[in-house]
Amino acid sequence: MTDAIALASDHGAIDLRAQLREHVTARGLEAVDLGTHGPDSVDYPDFAAALAKSIQEGRAARGILLCGTGIGASIAINRYPFIRAALVHDVTGARLCREHNDANVLVLGGRTTGPEVARQCVDAFLDVGFEGGRHVRRVEKLGAMPAV
Ligand code: RB5
């Protein structure tokens, strides 16, 4: 099983994605970069879909997804039932999304989060484990949400 990390963003976070790709690689992990690869305006749901697919197909274990704010990207990717994506703005959120929610995708905003905080968030996301215990039942419910 791969430990590669997929990265994807729209045009709103190209620079931050490149910085985080370097950071992931510097940590000795394979980075699977799914674009966007140019400055043109693109649609964040397309990149959320590409990142979800890379996880579903086993090409990446986890993902880092970005758009300008992270909001659209997080809405889009959480529509896939096997995804638990967390939009975070600080290292506490990045730690807790692993400990409590077993998040498999970290979402950041290229226009809202600076590179140093973003790198700290990635480190927490990659280093911190799921706490289990009372959180197992809750995370299992996320995978089988009842119809309303
Ligand atoms: C693109 O301009 C912008 O809307 C997008 O990056 C993101 O912030 C949406 O939530």
Side-chain angles (χ1 to χ4, degrees):
M1 167 141 173
T2 183
D3 60 357
I5 304 298
L7 296 102
S9 80
D10 72 359
H11 54 284
I14 290 175
D15 291 346
L16 185 57
R17 191 185 87 244
Q19 289 165 324
L20 296 181
R21 183 183 62 229
E22 277 182 26
H23 188 61
V24 164
T25 304
R27 287 182 50 120
L29 291 167
E30 180 190 352
V32 178
D33 191 344
L34 302 167
T36 185
H37 295 297
D40 295 347
S41 181
V42 293
D43 299 334
Y44 56 79
D46 297 337
F47 293 87
L51 194 141
K53 191 163 185 248
S54 75
I55 292 174
Q56 189 178 45
E57 292 179 347
R59 287 180 285 125
R62 290 190 262 171
I64 300 169
L65 181 65
L66 309 97
C67 66
T69 60
I71 296 171
S74 63
I75 292 171
I77 200 161
N78 273 313
R79 291 174 180 251
Y80 297 95
F82 57 93
I83 294 292
R84 292 177 302 281
L87 170 58
V88 309
H89 297 96
D90 56 39
V91 72
T92 302
R95 174 174 59 79
L96 288 171
C97 82
R98 290 290 309 132
E99 288 180 351
H100 290 190
N101 312 111
D102 199 18
N104 56 1
V105 175
L106 180 75
V107 187
L108 295 162
R111 295 173 182 154
T112 58
T113 300
E116 185 51 39
V117 171
R119 279 189 288 268
Q120 290 171 12
C121 289
V122 166
D123 285 340
F125 177 68
L126 296 177
D127 290 339
V128 174
F130 180 46
E131 203 173 281
R134 68 190 188 279
H135 302 294
V136 171
R137 182 181 69 250
R138 297 162 185 168
V139 169
E140 283 175 352
K141 287 185 177 182
L142 292 177
M145 292 294 284
V148 291

